[in-house]
């Protein structure tokens, strides 16, 4: 079973995403950027859903560290943020995110479809 890591400081959002994805994927939850990077070193995920505004290490720095690590650099990463403008989306894609999903999460099919598409593409 493919492993999806959800890096999100809101326990409610982590729970929602876990419930939505846990039938198809092994979901691991992390509450902040440092916890996620430590966890990725122990168990490499196949895809990461990454909040941008996180305690300790924010999502853009987590992505930068992942892209600099040969063991993690090819993992698909979805930016998961309340910032939904077209310019913010493009900025995140330019930083190296593979896709972008806006919060609040209202389109559950979009989440599932994006995860599935990126996992099929591989990393």
């Amino acid at each position: 079973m493919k492993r999806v890591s959800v890096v999100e400081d809101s326990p409610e959002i982590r729970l929602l995403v876990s419930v939505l994805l846990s039938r198809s994927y092994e979901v691991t939850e992390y509450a902040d950027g440092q916890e996620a990077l430590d966890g990725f070193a122990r168990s490499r995920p196949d895809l990461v859903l990454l909040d941008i505004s996180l305690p300790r290490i924010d999502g853009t720095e987590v992505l930068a560290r992942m892209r600099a690590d040969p063991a993690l650099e090819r993992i698909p990463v979805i930016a998961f943020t309340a910032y939904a403008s077209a310019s913010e989306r493009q900025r995140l894609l330019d930083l190296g995110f593979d896709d972008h999903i806006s919060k609040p999460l209202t389109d559950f099919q979009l989440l599932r479809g994006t995860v599935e598409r990126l996992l099929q593409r591989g990393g």
Side-chain angles (χ1 to χ4, degrees):
M1 184 177 281
K2 296 281 188 173
R3 293 182 304 273
V4 174
S5 290
V6 179
V7 187
E8 165 64 55
D9 57 333
S10 164
E12 294 83 9
I13 295 173
R14 283 196 315 269
L15 177 62
L16 173 63
V17 172
S18 290
V19 167
L20 291 170
L21 297 177
S22 64
R23 285 190 172 191
S24 302
Y25 307 103
E26 179 184 322
V27 179
T28 306
E29 300 177 25
Y30 300 103
D32 67 54
Q34 186 62 58
E35 183 182 317
L37 290 169
D38 293 345
F40 298 165
R42 291 187 302 274
S43 177
R44 183 186 181 277
D46 296 298
L47 180 138
V48 176
L49 188 65
L50 181 59
D51 187 14
I52 301 304
S53 299
L54 291 167
R56 296 173 68 192
I57 301 175
D58 74 13
T60 58
E61 180 62 22
V62 171
L63 178 73
R65 292 184 189 189
M66 289 178 68
R67 296 300 188 234
D69 182 339
L72 304 174
E73 68 183 346
R74 298 182 56 81
I75 296 171
V77 181
I78 301 169
F80 192 46
T81 180
Y83 304 108
S85 71
S87 62
E88 179 65 4
R89 174 181 165 75
Q90 190 57 55
R91 181 185 81 82
L92 294 169
L93 294 175
D94 290 345
L95 286 173
F97 285 91
D98 295 280
D99 212 323
H100 172 277
I101 293 179
S102 298
K103 293 187 283 187
L105 183 60
T106 57
D107 186 344
F108 304 142
Q109 287 303 104
L110 174 66
L111 173 64
R112 285 189 200 105
T114 303
V115 167
E116 185 175 313
R117 177 178 49 83
L118 290 174
L119 284 171
Q120 286 177 354
R121 186 188 79 189

